[in-house]
Amino acid sequence: MRFLGKIDLMVRLLILAILLASVLPATGGARDIAQWVSNAAIFVLFFLNGLRLPRREVIRGIGNWRFLLPLVMWCFGAMALAGKGLELGLAGAMPPMVALGFLYLGVLPSTVQSATAYSSLAGGNVASSVVAAALTNILGVFVCTPLFVALGGGGAADMGLEGLAKVFGMLILPFAIGQGLQTRMSGWVAGHRNLVTWMDRLSIAIAVYVAFSGAVEQGLWVRVGAGEWAVLLAAVCAMLVFAFAGSWLVAGAIGLDRGDRIAFLFAGAQKSVAMGAPLAAVLFPPAVAGMVLLPLLAYHLLQLVVSAPLAARLASHDRSSPGSAD
C-alpha cells in the first residue's frame, strides 16, 4: 500500500502542475526563472536516479536474457513502432506536435516504482520486475533520444551540438555521477527516503509545469478542440490495449512462467513520465514540449487506472488457481 501512496502523490502533483500552468502560466521573465529551476531539478532528478537504480541487481539479473532481451525489444522496438504508426495515422486529425507525442510516448522506457508495485500486487516476480525497470531506464537514458530522432522526431527536437550537449549535461552526466557515488551515498538515500521521494516527484512536476506554461501561452486549450481531445483519448486507449495485451501475449509466447510473465506485462506496458517529462524539457522549447507531452500524460494517468484492477484480478486468479500458468 505504501507504493500506491507514492503513485497517488505523483498523480496529484501532475494534475496540480497542469492546473497551475493553465491558470497561472510562467511567462516572460518568470518563464526564464522557471526554466532555470526546472533544469536544476532535472539534473537533481537524474542524479537521484543514478543513486537509486540498483547496479548490483542489474548486474545479477542481466544474465536472464530470455526475459530481458524480449522486453527490451518490446519496449524500444514494438512500442516505438506503435507510437510511430499512431503519429502517422493521426496526421491531420490533431496538431502535428500532439501527434508527434505518440512517437515520443512509444520510445520511452518503463516506469520504475509503479511497474514494480503492481507486479508485486499481482503476484509477479518482483526481482525480475526490479531488474527490468532498472535496465530499461538505464538504456532509456542513452537510447530514447537517438531512437526518437531515427524514427522521424528529429525535425521537432534540437539535436545539433547544443542539443547533444544538453542531453549529456542534464541527463547522462548526473546519472553517471549518481551511479559512481551509489556505494558511498546509499546510506544517505536510505535514511532520507521521504525527502528523496518529494525531490523526485517535485522535479517531474516542475518540468510538466514549465512545459505546459509554454503550451498554454501558445494557445493549447484553443488549438486542441473537443473533437481532437476525443481523438487523442481514443488513440491513447488504443495504445494501452496494444501495450497490455501485446506484453501479456509476447510473454506467453516466449514461454515465461507466470511470475515473470506478470513482471513482463507491467514493465512492458507502462511508460515513464519520470523520464518523459524531463527529457521533453531538454529536447524541446516549452511551447512544443507541452504539446508533445499530452499523449504521455494521458497515457500515464490511464495506465494507473488500468493497472490497479488488473493487478487485483491477476492476484485473485493466483489465489484461486495457485498452480496455473496460463
Side-chain angles (χ1 to χ4, degrees):
M1 295 303 293
R2 183 171 61 182
F3 279 114
L4 291 178
K6 292 179 181 178
I7 294 169
D8 290 339
L9 170 63
M10 187 70 259
V11 172
R12 291 196 297 270
L13 287 174
L14 287 176
I15 294 173
L16 178 61
I18 293 170
L19 291 175
L20 184 61
S22 298
V23 299
L24 191 63
T27 59
R31 183 173 62 190
D32 294 336
I33 296 173
Q35 186 66 64
W36 185 90
V37 172
S38 177
N39 290 345
I42 291 167
F43 188 97
V44 171
L45 172 65
F46 278 82
F47 173 70
L48 293 174
N49 284 343
L51 283 178
R52 290 181 302 176
L53 285 176
R55 189 166 66 247
R56 291 179 183 176
E57 289 289 337
V58 174
I59 293 172
R60 182 162 57 244
I62 205 163
N64 188 7
W65 60 267
R66 187 165 169 266
F67 174 84
L68 294 175
L69 182 59
L71 178 65
V72 169
M73 294 176 65
W74 174 262
C75 287
F76 298 115
M79 290 293 288
L81 292 175
K84 180 63 179 178
L86 283 172
E87 180 207 356
L88 295 174
L90 295 170
M94 59 180 54
M97 291 300 101
V98 178
L100 181 67
F102 282 94
L103 170 59
Y104 184 70
L105 167 64
V107 304
L108 291 173
S110 174
T111 59
V112 176
Q113 288 179 326
S114 64
T116 303
Y118 284 120
S119 180
S120 175
L121 289 172
N125 187 328
V126 176
S128 292
S129 183
V130 170
V131 171
L135 180 62
T136 58
N137 276 265
I138 289 171
L139 287 175
V141 173
F142 302 95
V143 169
C144 288
T145 299
L147 183 59
F148 178 67
V149 173
L151 288 176
D158 177 13
M159 285 310 297
L161 291 178
E162 182 180 353
L164 290 172
K166 287 173 66 178
V167 170
F168 177 82
M170 294 176 60
L171 277 65
I172 297 175
L173 177 61
F175 180 84
I177 294 172
Q179 285 280 290
L181 295 176
Q182 192 174 87
T183 302
R184 295 183 182 182
M185 296 190 65
S186 59
W188 183 90
V189 173
H192 297 82
R193 291 187 183 277
N194 288 338
L195 175 62
V196 170
T197 296
W198 274 100
M199 291 171 65
D200 186 17
R201 302 303 191 269
L202 286 173
S203 297
I204 300 165
I206 291 169
V208 171
Y209 169 73
V210 173
F212 262 77
S213 290
V216 169
E217 187 179 12
Q218 297 297 316
L220 166 65
W221 302 118
V222 176
R223 293 170 60 188
V224 182
E228 291 167 321
W229 276 109
V231 172
L232 170 65
L233 291 175
V236 167
C237 289
M239 187 80 162
L240 278 167
V241 170
F242 174 80
F244 278 91
S247 296
W248 184 251
L249 292 173
V250 167
I254 61 178
L256 296 180
D257 62 38
R258 186 171 179 83
D260 275 347
R261 192 177 182 186
I262 291 171
F264 192 104
L265 168 68
F266 290 106
Q270 295 199 350
K271 289 292 184 176
S272 175
V273 74
M275 173 73 74
L279 181 59
V282 174
L283 291 178
F284 306 105
V288 174
M291 303 292 278
V292 171
L293 281 175
L294 283 179
L296 171 61
L297 292 172
Y299 188 97
H300 180 80
L301 296 175
L302 289 175
Q303 76 185 8
L304 300 181
V305 172
V306 170
S307 293
L310 180 59
R313 183 178 180 85
L314 289 169
S316 175
H317 184 280
D318 278 348
R319 286 192 293 269
S320 62
S321 306
S324 176
D326 65 340

